Amino acid sequence: TPPEPTLEESPTPTSDSDGGLKIENVKVTATRQANSVVWTMNKDDALPKVTYGTTKGNLTAEATVEKMSDSTYQVVLQDLKLGTRYYFAIKASTPDQLQAATYSGSLTTRGYPVQLTIKQNGILAPEAKVKINDRSFTANKDAIILTELGEGKHEATITPPGSPASATVQFTVAQKQVPAHGSPELQTFVL
């Protein structure tokens, strides 16, 4: 069996309700084929809108909301890059504008499987903190981070446990064939 992917620190979703309207049961699905968000609302006449982007402050893409036969709502986020974190916001209001709700969350798209082995002065560095782009990880007891990243150059900032100093290293993830089922080939790096 393949090793478990490293748990990534991810932002906590936030929600806000005004006048009793609630956005609930939000489920995010990220696969190599599709990335979607499904939710319910406690008022049938509320009109939802979903925006998304790669930074919290720049949610400029708008997704098409579909109301499903089981009264859930769904959006499929289009044209996303592999191995990238996206932020999204669901905003809804009733036609009379007296009730409104928002939900802000994130999803990380599936990418190319990557195994990073973290070393400090040639010695394995278990529990090292590693930041890649806006994503944060902690190496396991074997000093390994297993995750998925997009193709291209990445910069990793590594902070060994108990150390105030950090080092920055670069590595390049190659584009690999993505099979219809299963995962692309694992790429390994020693940082």
Side-chain angles (χ1 to χ4, degrees):
T1 61
E4 277 295 298
T6 303
L7 282 179
E8 177 179 341
E9 295 168 24
S10 57
T12 306
T14 59
S15 64
D16 189 23
S17 172
D18 186 17
L21 176 63
K22 287 187 173 63
I23 296 169
E24 302 171 302
N25 306 310
V26 178
K27 264 205 268 342
V28 174
T29 305
T31 67
R32 288 193 177 80
Q33 288 68 38
N35 297 284
S36 64
V37 182
V38 176
W39 70 96
T40 60
M41 290 190 294
N42 64 342
K43 301 257 190 266
D44 275 347
D45 63 343
L47 305 168
K49 177 181 169 182
V50 176
T51 53
Y52 61 98
T54 53
T55 60
K56 278 183 189 169
N58 191 20
L59 307 180
T60 54
E62 193 170 334
T64 304
V65 177
E66 253 185 296
K67 186 168 185 178
M68 312 309 271
S69 58
D70 63 359
S71 293
T72 62
Y73 294 85
Q74 174 183 316
V75 292
V76 177
L77 306 181
Q78 303 291 335
D79 303 322
L80 304 186
K81 289 189 207 129
L82 292 178
T84 304
R85 177 172 292 149
Y86 285 86
Y87 298 89
F88 66 89
I90 304 168
K91 292 183 175 153
S93 59
T94 52
D96 60 15
Q97 301 292 317
L98 295 176
Q99 298 182 30
T102 58
Y103 179 97
S104 299
S106 67
L107 77 89
T108 301
T109 57
R110 299 290 305 267
Y112 298 105
V114 173
Q115 178 177 306
L116 307 172
T117 303
I118 311 302
K119 288 190 169 184
Q120 179 184 16
N121 304 326
I123 299 164
L124 290 176
E127 310 298 323
K129 298 272 185 214
V130 179
K131 194 168 164 83
I132 301 169
N133 307 326
D134 63 345
R135 298 168 62 191
S136 299
F137 304 90
T138 301
N140 70 13
K141 61 181 174 35
D142 299 316
I144 288 173
I145 291 173
L146 199 61
T147 189
E148 295 186 5
L149 296 170
E151 67 179 278
K153 266 195 177 134
H154 294 279
E155 192 169 270
T157 303
I158 301 166
T159 308
S163 168
S166 58
T168 302
V169 290
Q170 291 190 334
F171 61 99
T172 302
V173 174
Q175 181 175 0
K176 298 282 186 182
Q177 179 72 38
V178 177
H181 303 288
S183 296
E185 164 193 340
L186 179 69
Q187 299 179 54
T188 57
F189 301 91
V190 176
L191 305 181

